[in-house]
Amino acid sequence: MIYQKIQEAAFNDRRLLSVLIDPDKSGEKHLDKICAYSNEANIDYFFVGGSLITSGDLQRTVLGIKKRSSIPVVLFPGNHQQISEHADAILLLSLISGRNPDLLIGQHVTAAQRLKTSELEIIPTGYLLIDGGTMTTVQYVSGTAPIPTDKVEIAAYTALAGEQLGMKLIFAEAGSGAKHHVPVDVIKAIKKEVNIPLIVGGGIRTPESAAAVFRAGANMVVVGNSFEKDPELIQDIAAARFNFKDAV
Ligand code: 1GP
């Protein structure tokens, strides 16, 4: 069970790295490269999904990863259509920082029956959008305002409410391609309030920033954009899981 593994890692103070693959940017050659580097760096999970998939094919992407790697694939869906029975698990995201009912419950109702008949492990996840210094696709497409970075308590209490609602993970998201990742004081404040594992993603581009995010308490880091541009970076950011305490 994937959730159990994430919980065990959190319990044992072991940090995790997920490589996000956008089905719009997953040609065969790209998958060859990104999977080879991910296998070599022994990353923990592949996440697949996006707020907006245009030309990409989710099923083909998941199968393409499965053909190249035995690392588990977790769906990170932007909407109810982004379901593939070939994946191992799905983050059932509720955008709890927003007030868009469709992303709090609407998409979930549409997906419910299909998820029930699938063998996917369902992991209810409280998804918080935090301001990343620029208008990101997720912000625009979701039609929700991100939590301002100086409203640290709002972020912390939103995460706490998610935990109290029964969510199993909190995902603090600055948005793909964000200028700044989620600030360390926001991460620390969330960690202080919740006991469930915390995922942090958006705008993480260097091993140093991954280390800072891990040091602040993130249990898992998700990186997409930077690995698309430079798959060799996977190795260095993967190493931050182990040496984040030494980094300055
Ligand atoms: C987006 O958190 C992920 O949902 C990853 O963001 O593409 O900026 O790494 P980046």
Side-chain angles (χ1 to χ4, degrees):
M1 294 290 270
I2 289 175
Y3 182 64
Q4 206 181 326
K5 291 232 163 90
I6 297 173
Q7 260 187 324
E8 277 166 18
F11 183 77
N12 295 316
D13 209 20
R14 218 164 40 74
R15 304 302 204 255
L16 305 169
L17 173 66
S18 294
V19 172
L20 175 64
I21 299 191
D22 178 347
D24 272 344
K25 298 165 196 156
S26 63
E28 297 287 315
K29 276 195 186 134
H30 181 64
L31 279 186
D32 281 346
K33 227 177 179 180
I34 209 131
C35 289
Y37 280 105
S38 299
N39 289 337
E40 204 179 308
N42 201 17
I43 61 124
D44 299 284
Y45 301 104
F46 285 108
F47 278 14
V48 180
S51 339
L52 183 72
I53 298 180
T54 49
S55 56
D57 181 332
L58 183 87
Q59 302 286 355
R60 193 187 52 71
T61 307
V62 172
L63 286 171
I65 299 169
K66 285 282 173 197
K67 208 169 74 186
R68 294 167 171 87
S69 177
S70 56
I71 295 166
V73 175
V74 178
L75 300 173
F76 176 46
N79 60 50
H80 70 88
Q81 288 170 320
Q82 294 181 27
I83 298 174
S84 164
E85 280 74 9
H86 304 292
D88 299 283
I90 181 166
L91 299 185
L92 192 62
L93 302 170
S94 278
L95 183 52
I96 57 175
S97 60
R99 300 295 180 265
N100 177 349
D102 194 40
L103 300 175
L104 287 163
I105 181 64
Q107 294 285 323
H108 314 69
V109 175
T110 311
Q113 172 63 13
R114 181 160 173 206
L115 287 180
K116 188 178 178 187
T117 53
S118 79
E119 306 221 319
L120 291 166
E121 179 184 344
I122 299 170
I123 310 177
T125 302
Y127 193 48
L128 273 74
L129 189 55
I130 315 277
D131 187 37
T134 184
M135 168 75 92
T136 56
T137 307
V138 54
Q139 185 181 336
Y140 188 82
V141 171
S142 68
T144 67
I147 299 175
T149 48
D150 60 345
K151 305 285 184 213
V152 174
E153 309 78 26
I154 296 182
Y157 295 141
T158 302
L160 178 60
E163 181 177 42
Q164 290 170 342
L165 279 165
M167 285 156 191
K168 303 276 186 240
L169 292 174
I170 295 296
F171 193 138
E173 169 77 89
S176 196
K179 259 195 207 149
H180 320 290
H181 61 72
V182 177
V184 294
D185 59 335
V186 173
I187 298 171
K188 284 182 187 164
I190 294 174
K191 279 307 279 186
K192 207 163 145 247
E193 291 299 337
V194 305
N195 291 313
I196 50 177
L198 174 64
I199 304 176
V200 175
I204 297 170
R205 296 185 185 82
T206 61
E208 292 74 21
S209 49
V213 166
F214 280 137
R215 264 201 311 283
N219 301 96
M220 182 192 294
V221 155
V222 182
V223 179
N225 255 303
S226 309
F227 292 162
E228 271 162 27
K229 289 183 197 131
D230 178 12
E232 287 180 36
L233 193 63
I234 296 176
Q235 189 72 51
D236 297 335
I237 292 193
R241 289 174 296 174
F242 310 108
N243 61 21
F244 65 93
K245 284 184 182 151
D246 321 327
V248 198

